[in-house]
Amino acid sequence: VVAGLYWAAVRNLGAAGAFLGVLLFAVHPLHAESVAWISGRKDLLATFFLILAWGVLADPEPERGRRRVLRLALGLTAYLAACLSKTAALPFPLVWWLQDRLLNSRRSWTFLERVPFLLVMGLLAVHQAVLGLGSGAAGLYQTDLAGLRHLLATPARALLDQAGALFLPLGLSPAYAPRQGPWDAWLWLLWVPALVLAFRRLASRRILWGLAWTLLFLLPVINLVLPTSSPRADRYAFLPSAGFC
């Protein structure tokens, strides 16, 4: 169902090879955990509602008047349902804005029309951060130098592992032991220039937008923006992989 909805939404972009991308999304080995586990249902629900919101709002030339308001209301409802299913859906307003900037010839939606989505994102992000800091994840944040190194190293390693699994899904596991090398904090010296270079040099705006989708939806789950006690799991890649595929 999710793959079918994704296909219906992505066809409007007119991208070559869209069907192959959707097919890869449907059969990617990283998705086994989200599909097979009952606890992974939240990944399916969040992705379903998020792609529904995206499909409703992705039209480069939306109607005016009552139908436009109806599109916004349906999109906002679907986005809220996605966030309540799983907080990984929070960055959607940023992904939607980037689509307007990169793929549309003119701005489809005004800033005021985006404000309700930004408010939902901000309020739920603060709520999730407070809950995380009040739980066992609060111990992940320390004020000494070792704590700062750990805070930088954990998301850098998680991002590297998740990106590697998307390209080469080998050695997958239901649970991963914490893995952190002495130089992992310095991986940002590789990540930041590589991402800046990609966004400056890549000619295809669709590839840029897909890369942005993948990275933005990984941010809430790699312990960089929101606290989490487990920054690496196959199910975390379900929603971000839609941009990769």
Side-chain angles (χ1 to χ4, degrees), residues 12-238:
N12 295 329
L13 295 179
F19 176 76
L20 294 178
V22 174
L23 184 62
L24 176 61
F25 174 78
V27 301
H28 201 291
L30 266 181
H31 297 167
E33 184 177 311
S34 296
V35 175
W37 287 17
I38 189 65
S39 59
R41 184 176 296 177
K42 59 186 178 182
D43 299 285
L44 300 175
L45 285 173
T47 306
F48 174 84
F49 286 120
L50 193 82
I51 292 177
L52 178 61
W54 173 49
V56 169
L57 299 169
D59 192 338
E61 295 183 0
E63 307 90 337
R64 297 290 174 181
R66 184 176 299 178
R67 287 193 173 186
R68 187 181 183 92
V69 174
L70 183 61
R71 274 182 181 267
L72 280 171
L74 180 57
L76 182 60
T77 303
Y79 171 56
L80 181 59
C83 291
L84 294 178
S85 300
K86 189 168 185 177
T87 52
L90 285 176
F92 172 72
L94 305 179
V95 175
W96 177 33
W97 174 76
L98 280 174
Q99 180 190 358
D100 220 20
R101 297 280 297 183
L102 293 174
L103 303 184
N104 298 339
S105 57
R106 61 187 183 86
R107 305 294 173 262
S108 304
W109 305 92
T110 67
F111 175 75
L112 287 178
E113 290 171 326
R114 299 176 189 271
V115 165
F117 295 84
L118 295 172
L119 287 175
V120 169
M121 180 180 70
L123 290 174
L124 290 180
V126 170
H127 177 262
Q128 184 66 19
V130 171
L131 287 180
L133 291 174
S135 66
L140 297 172
Y141 295 103
Q142 305 171 23
T143 55
D144 58 4
L145 184 59
L148 179 61
R149 188 183 302 115
H150 176 75
L151 184 62
L152 291 174
T154 300
R157 166 56 65 177
L159 188 59
L160 180 64
D161 290 340
Q162 293 285 19
L166 283 170
F167 281 101
L168 196 63
L170 300 176
L172 303 181
S173 172
Y176 295 94
R179 186 162 69 101
Q180 194 173 112
W183 302 102
D184 283 356
W186 299 99
L187 284 173
W188 290 112
L189 295 180
L190 170 67
W191 278 121
V192 174
L195 292 175
V196 170
L197 184 64
F199 276 93
R200 289 180 63 90
R201 297 296 182 183
L202 276 177
S204 173
R205 293 194 168 193
R206 288 192 178 92
I207 294 178
L208 282 176
W209 182 70
L211 178 62
W213 174 300
T214 303
L215 292 174
L216 286 172
F217 283 123
L218 279 174
L219 289 182
V221 296
I222 60 173
N223 203 46
L224 180 63
V225 178
L226 298 177
T228 173
S229 57
S230 177
R232 169 83 194 279
D234 292 349
R235 62 186 181 276
Y236 293 166
F238 190 82

